[in-house]
Amino acid sequence: MSSPRPYLVGLVGTGVTPSLTPPLHMSEAAALGIPYIYRPIDLTVQDLSPADLPEILTWTERLGYDALNITHPCKRAVLEYLDLVDPLAAALGAVNTVVFTKDGRVGYNTDTTGFEQALATGLPDASLDDVVLLGAGGAGSAVADALLRRGARRLTVVDIDRARGDELAGELADRHAATIAADAPDALPDLLQSANGVVHCTPTGMHDHPGTPFAVELLHPDLWVADIVYRPLETELLRSARAVGCATLDGGRMAVLQAVHAFELITGVRPDADRMSAHFQKLVAADEVLV
């Protein structure tokens, strides 16, 4: 019997050296008996920028890399250097996974499919009649599209940059039949009072950006709360939401499920999502001890 072919994968972005994604992929590959090396290509450490993406793609392809995961600030910039883009990623205008194939460089977005599955499995009974989305950046765009594919009837995009919120709302309205609007953060008291759920897609709550994205006094038991931050898993927002009786969804589920999808795109092998989730929990716990 021939041995499984080995894989070489990279993660391109700024500040990605401590990322949990490489060990998450490699541990699952080891469990499946697949030789798999995954290394960060940290733009900050290498003194590179998104302007260097053409060179990065060329030399990783020539060195035999099978795929790259792409993160901030390169998810949009990478599009013009690809040969094929999955229709969903093309509609979002953002790619986080590039697979090198015989047909060229193929781009996908597993952030949006990861959140879609996370919501379906983590909050299966959540009402999507009226949802507020905080953050209109790349993550917010991916999550917004997932919410609308899941059947959100009304979605309000809130961002401190109102022009960016308006732009995302317009893009979403071009693709979906739901009622989609943008508003400013000072509208949150009224928006959250009537909303069924809120999804937080900004860095607030991360170790380096502690706090909550809005006053926790605006939370109420009829509101479900999802946070895509996963370092820490228990953000101040989620802790406060649980304290008042909100159903909640932490960012770990999305992080794992997007990795599950990416792993399958790269190897053609469906990984064990439960095993990856268990390993992810261990990685996060160890990370918490170090912080």
Side-chain angles (χ1 to χ4, degrees):
M1 178 182 291
S2 61
S3 300
R5 59 157 290 194
Y7 288 86
L8 177 60
V9 181
L11 173 62
V12 178
T14 58
V16 297
T17 300
S19 173
L20 302 183
T21 301
L24 181 62
H25 276 242
M26 288 191 291
S27 66
E28 180 59 17
L32 292 168
I34 299 173
Y36 198 101
I37 297 174
Y38 190 140
R39 292 289 182 263
I41 302 171
D42 196 321
L43 302 186
T44 305
V45 172
Q46 299 297 329
D47 195 24
L48 298 170
S49 76
D52 297 301
L53 272 172
E55 182 181 354
I56 293 169
L57 288 163
T58 296
W59 59 251
T60 51
E61 196 169 20
R62 288 177 177 173
L63 287 171
Y65 277 69
D66 295 282
L68 300 173
N69 276 140
I70 308 293
T71 190
H72 179 79
C74 301
K75 293 181 183 181
R76 293 186 182 275
V78 75
L79 278 164
E80 65 178 294
Y81 308 116
L82 304 180
D83 299 299
L84 297 169
V85 180
D86 175 75
L88 184 54
L92 290 170
V95 159
N96 78 329
T97 303
V98 174
V99 182
F100 297 122
T101 76
K102 61 180 178 60
D103 297 316
R105 304 164 180 169
V106 185
Y108 302 89
N109 190 304
T110 69
D111 288 331
T112 190
T113 54
F115 184 80
E116 183 178 13
Q117 294 174 29
L119 184 65
T121 57
L123 287 174
D125 300 321
S127 172
L128 300 176
D129 288 342
D130 189 344
V131 181
V132 175
L133 175 80
L134 302 180
S141 174
V143 166
D145 209 81
L147 286 164
L148 292 162
R149 293 197 308 274
R150 284 286 300 162
R153 296 177 59 188
R154 177 179 179 82
L155 180 68
T156 304
V157 179
V158 175
D159 196 280
I160 56 173
D161 183 341
R162 180 59 188 269
R164 186 167 70 163
D166 286 334
E167 181 180 5
L168 176 56
E171 292 172 357
L172 294 167
D174 288 340
R175 301 197 300 273
H176 299 278
T179 300
I180 302 166
D183 218 324
D186 59 12
L188 282 172
D190 291 333
L191 291 172
L192 295 180
Q193 183 59 38
S194 59
N196 303 116
V198 58
V199 187
H200 172 235
C201 299
T202 84
T204 303
M206 295 175 65
H207 287 306
D208 295 338
H209 300 83
T212 61
F214 56 83
V216 296
E217 289 76 19
L218 299 180
L219 295 166
H220 55 85
D222 295 327
L223 188 72
W224 57 263
V225 180
D227 198 336
I228 70 165
V229 171
Y230 65 85
R231 298 173 87 173
L233 276 177
E234 174 89 343
T235 62
E236 188 176 343
L237 174 63
L238 291 183
R239 188 163 54 249
S240 299
R242 293 187 188 113
V244 300
C246 301
T248 61
L249 178 68
D250 66 51
R253 191 178 291 260
M254 173 183 172
V256 170
L257 290 171
Q258 71 81 20
V260 166
H261 187 193
F263 187 98
E264 185 172 13
L265 288 169
I266 294 166
T267 65
V269 176
R270 181 69 176 176
D272 186 321
D274 290 337
R275 183 167 57 208
M276 288 184 77
S277 180
H279 187 67
F280 179 80
Q281 296 288 338
K282 292 179 181 177
L283 288 170
V284 171
D287 183 59
E288 293 296 308
V289 171
L290 295 174
V291 173

